[in-house]
Amino acid sequence: MVLDKKLTVSASPHVRSSVTTTGIMLDVIIAMIPALIAAVVFFGPRVLGLTAVTVITAVLSEYVSRKAMKRHGTLGDLSAVVTGMLLAFNLPATMPFWMAAIGSVVAIVVVKQFFGGIGMNYVNPALIGRIVLFVSFPTAMTNWVAAGAWHKGGVDTITTATPMAQLKEVFTGGNFDKIGEIVEPGLGEMLMGKHGASLGEVCAIALIIGGLYLLIRGVISPIIPLTYVGSVALIMLVAGRGNLQFVAYQVLGGGLLLGAIFMATDYTTSPVNPKGKVIFAIGCGVLTSVIRLYGNIPEGVSFAIIIMNILVPHIENITTPKPFGTPKEEKAAKEGDK
Amino acid sequence: MSKKVLSGILRPAARVKGGVPVAHKKNTAELPVERMPAPESVVIPMLQHIGAHCVPRVKRGDKVAVGQLIADSDKYVSAPIHATISGTVNKIGETVLPHGVIVPSILIESDGEMRLFEGLEPPKVNNKEDFIQAVRQSGLVGLGGAGFPTHVKLNIPADKEVDTLVINVAECEPFITVDYRESMENSWDILSGVYTIKEFLGLKNVIIAVEDNKPDALAELKKIADAQSNLDGGVKVMALKSRYPQGAEKMLVLAATGRKVPPGKLPADIGCLVMNVATVAFIARYLKSGKPLVSRSLTVDGSAVANPKNVRVALGTNIGDIFDFCGGFKVEPYKIITGGPMMGLAIIGTDLPVIKQNNALLALDQKAYKFKKERDCIRCGRCVTACPMGLMPALIARYAEADEAHKLEHTGVTVCMECGSCAYDCPSAIPLVQHMRLAKSKLAAYKAKQ
């Protein structure tokens, strides 16, 4: 048989797995849904509005900046949606919409597209968006409302201290035995989400469900979340003089779970190799703990991850695997060079 | 796999890292090899192996018979070529091989008789030298796909001490089942070949390594290992984990012996000799009959093929005719591949002859060919996890694209065997194998300039 037209040729392999970038991003979006639902339950329907604003602004920013730079469109990979959602997760429910929109524009245009778009940004866009908002609008960014307060009156009316600020009081005062009195929410409430926090941080259980989903789907490796949370827990155990309650509050409170599961695991801004992931996550844990215990601000997850993001290329350099079969002596010699 | 099959079968000596879980698609596993009737003509290219081209020893109008030497080379790394049908040399022309190399070829028109060449008789083999010389005369090359001349492989340099022969029955590429069929149908040839090699080369151990998705082959080969002649217990069967690319030489040696081939070295450097199962079985048949390599088995499969089959064809048979023998195409083929879908070569048309190292012909239609849109790298690290050679493919691709050849030196790209695991699992559908090839050539050019 002679075929009348020429066949398609290309380099091998001629079969491919079904995993796609869009599919991965979709999995991340799905993993964030439980936390989003929890946020709506605790902070009211305004949460949906806020999330919609950050997501739509992120998508529009991506579209416009790609067009302006005359580059191929990248909306289809859904990464802009993920960034928008993550930014919303880092805001208090009371955040004015226009401020949230600025955060999205900064995240997508300045942090992501200025450096070449998906895969090229060296820090986490959503975290930089959060930090820019934190520095620009400190009052709005710390206008916490008590979870569930929206049932009783408008969200703008009741503000509350976060458990993180109260935990700092405990540490600086050394009152570990009075921790139950100083920190308002109980541990059960921390787990379920009944405390003042930003949208995505509020419900630890929802975040853990999302994390498990990502693990099962093979989207993230457990190394970073476990090492990050584990190192924070270990440091807090020492700092809290063995007070387990203090450790539990530190793990469940603030942005640690959100950061460890959804932010520090970002492919682009975390190391590729397992050894590198461990170094990166320990660094995140140490920095988070130091900022929480000794810093001017009560929470340190964002800054810790950002600082470690910047160090990723150096971590990669010292953890590059050696090719198959490289003799042991040669390996040692090469490592000695560095 | 049942416990009964497992008893007495070795477990892998070491874990092989990386790789990807490809779908096995062994649709033709239970189809015995069918002999395809001799074609009316064959085209025999002068390069069917790794090494130097052969030069025709016949001219237009010559009468030839099956098994008659028609081309040879005086270079060491090469393998002679024999007539695969009887008839008349019609033309000495040219053929474009799947990898784009143009070589001279001999066209033979059949006389319909398939007459055996009269001078064929079993070679007289008394020692190692005779044995290697006989293997050379047979025109044998590695039948697993690489096509390295077998006599060169068997002639281990005196300074290298080889103690273990690993028989490759991993067959980790999807679709292909010819090695499985060889194990089921010609297990006594395999046995005979294994002992011949073991004896002449003075090897201590033989490990017949089979992926555990072929329990019947494991059982059949175990039967051989348990045969009377295995008194010293030197021949063992091993069940390998079914994971691509388990059958790659370095991965296979690691699993079979726990030894790692260092970069730039060969299995012989760490005491191993790796041979494909069909190659070994052929050696046994050749020593008995004296009939050189004139035909081979291949799997014809893929979503576009009407009746997938395992067929035995005369070398030089037109690929289009082989598809016709398998019922033609039920849908329009989008891609036709010689070899497996992970490492095989895509060809632009079917007007090509089958050569010694072809172990499969696959025709995929457009629907079965999963198309992914190429996107930017997201640094997910799947290529790094998948790479069995411990490389960072995405990084190498970036250096190659950015023309940073000096940075490629320390990436270890030269050990890449182009197994395709990285590209298989890339969510952004980046053609990483192509990038690896680009990186290798850029590095070679850079080194040459220095």
Side-chain angles (χ1 to χ4, degrees), chain B residues 175-423:
Chain B
F175 292 107
I176 308 178
T177 59
V178 279
D179 287 349
Y180 171 72
R181 291 316 310 171
E182 192 77 39
S183 312
M184 298 307 289
E185 294 171 27
N186 304 320
S187 51
W188 293 103
D189 290 343
I190 298 170
L191 173 74
S192 167
V194 162
Y195 281 104
T196 310
I197 298 166
K198 184 169 180 277
E199 203 172 299
F200 282 121
L201 268 56
L203 305 173
K204 275 203 281 296
N205 313 304
V206 180
I207 297 167
I208 304 176
V210 189
E211 271 196 356
D212 58 13
N213 63 354
K214 294 180 266 293
D216 292 347
L218 276 166
E220 179 68 24
L221 293 165
K222 180 71 177 43
K223 207 170 77 191
I224 290 168
D226 290 342
Q228 283 252 312
S229 38
N230 192 13
L231 286 175
D232 61 351
V235 180
K236 295 199 173 73
V237 178
M238 177 181 282
L240 303 165
K241 211 178 141 199
S242 301
R243 187 177 175 88
Y244 184 84
Q246 180 62 74
E249 201 166 59
K250 290 183 177 181
M251 277 59 252
L252 189 73
V253 168
L254 174 62
T257 64
R259 304 176 199 169
K260 281 187 174 180
V261 182
K265 301 278 181 183
L266 294 169
D269 293 303
I270 51 162
C272 291
L273 179 66
V274 181
M275 293 185 79
N276 169 268
V277 66
T279 314
V280 172
F282 172 83
I283 290 179
R285 287 195 289 269
Y286 175 71
L287 293 182
K288 252 180 273 169
S289 68
K291 188 178 171 189
L293 186 65
V294 293
S295 66
R296 69 154 300 151
S297 301
L298 38 91
T299 297
V300 185
D301 199 353
S303 53
V305 178
N307 305 317
K309 275 179 188 176
N310 284 310
V311 290
R312 187 156 195 93
V313 300
L315 295 170
T317 304
N318 186 282
I319 287 175
D321 292 346
I322 300 174
F323 279 117
D324 284 344
F325 180 68
C326 297
F329 301 116
K330 59 183 178 194
V331 283
E332 192 189 4
Y334 174 72
K335 250 189 186 181
I336 293 184
I337 302 154
T338 64
M342 292 299 286
M343 286 187 78
L345 291 163
I347 53 178
I348 63 169
T350 55
D351 191 19
L352 265 176
V354 160
I355 57 173
K356 289 176 183 176
Q357 64 260 54
N358 288 161
N359 53 0
L361 290 174
L362 306 174
L364 305 175
D365 73 313
Q366 189 146 18
K367 239 195 273 166
Y369 182 78
K370 257 185 228 146
F371 183 80
K372 275 199 241 178
K373 189 173 178 238
E374 186 179 342
R375 293 181 183 279
D376 297 322
C377 172
I378 55 171
R379 275 178 44 87
C380 68
R382 278 175 177 74
C383 55
V384 181
T385 315
C387 181
M389 301 309 290
L391 306 178
M392 296 181 70
L395 188 75
I396 296 170
R398 195 179 282 190
Y399 290 158
E401 271 192 308
D403 233 335
E404 296 179 309
H406 58 286
K407 288 189 182 168
L408 286 169
E409 257 188 307
H410 306 290
T411 56
V413 63
T414 44
V415 306
C416 170
M417 56 180 173
E418 301 171 14
C419 69
S421 298
C422 51

Side-chain angles (χ1 to χ4, degrees), chain B residues 44 46 55-58 64-65 68-72 81-84 89 106 108:
Chain B
I44 300 180
M46 293 295 99
V55 179
R57 295 280 166 90
V58 289
V64 293
Q68 181 180 345
L69 183 80
I70 54 169
D72 205 345
I81 292 168
H82 302 82
T84 61
V89 174
I106 299 172
I108 303 172

Side-chain angles (χ1 to χ4, degrees), chain B residues 36-95:
Chain B
M36 181 175 159
E40 281 164 24
S41 66
V42 290
V43 173
I44 300 180
M46 293 295 99
L47 184 66
Q48 308 194 27
H49 48 259
I50 291 175
H53 294 197
C54 286
V55 179
R57 295 280 166 90
V58 289
K59 54 184 191 308
R60 191 161 176 239
D62 284 359
K63 296 266 182 220
V64 293
V66 177
Q68 181 180 345
L69 183 80
I70 54 169
D72 205 345
S73 163
D74 47 14
K75 299 278 185 330
Y76 177 58
V77 184
S78 188
I81 292 168
H82 302 82
T84 61
I85 57 174
S86 64
T88 316
V89 174
N90 195 317
K91 193 172 128 189
I92 311 261
E94 271 182 345
T95 299

Side-chain angles (χ1 to χ4, degrees), chain A residues 79-95:
Chain A
S79 64
V81 178
V82 171
T83 303
M85 281 182 83
L86 278 177
L87 179 64
F89 273 27
N90 277 287
L91 305 177
T94 50
M95 195 73 187

Side-chain angles (χ1 to χ4, degrees), chain A residues 1 5 7-10 12-17 19-21 24 118-119 218 267-268 270 272-273 316 323-325, chain B residues 262-263 324 329 332-335 337 341-342 344 348 350 369 372 377-380 382 384 389 423-425 427-428 433:
Chain A
M1 178 188 290
K5 72 175 191 194
L7 296 158
T8 304
V9 288
S10 67
S12 57
H14 308 286
V15 285
R16 288 177 179 279
S17 72
V19 54
T20 61
T21 304
I24 290 169
I118 188 167
Y267 290 147
T268 307
S270 66
V272 162
N273 299 301
E316 295 269 74
F324 179 91
Chain B
D324 284 344
F329 301 116
E332 192 189 4
Y334 174 72
K335 250 189 186 181
I337 302 154
M342 292 299 286
I348 63 169
T350 55
Y369 182 78
K372 275 199 241 178
C377 172
I378 55 171
R379 275 178 44 87
C380 68
R382 278 175 177 74
V384 181
M389 301 309 290
Y424 174 84
D425 216 20
S428 297
V433 174

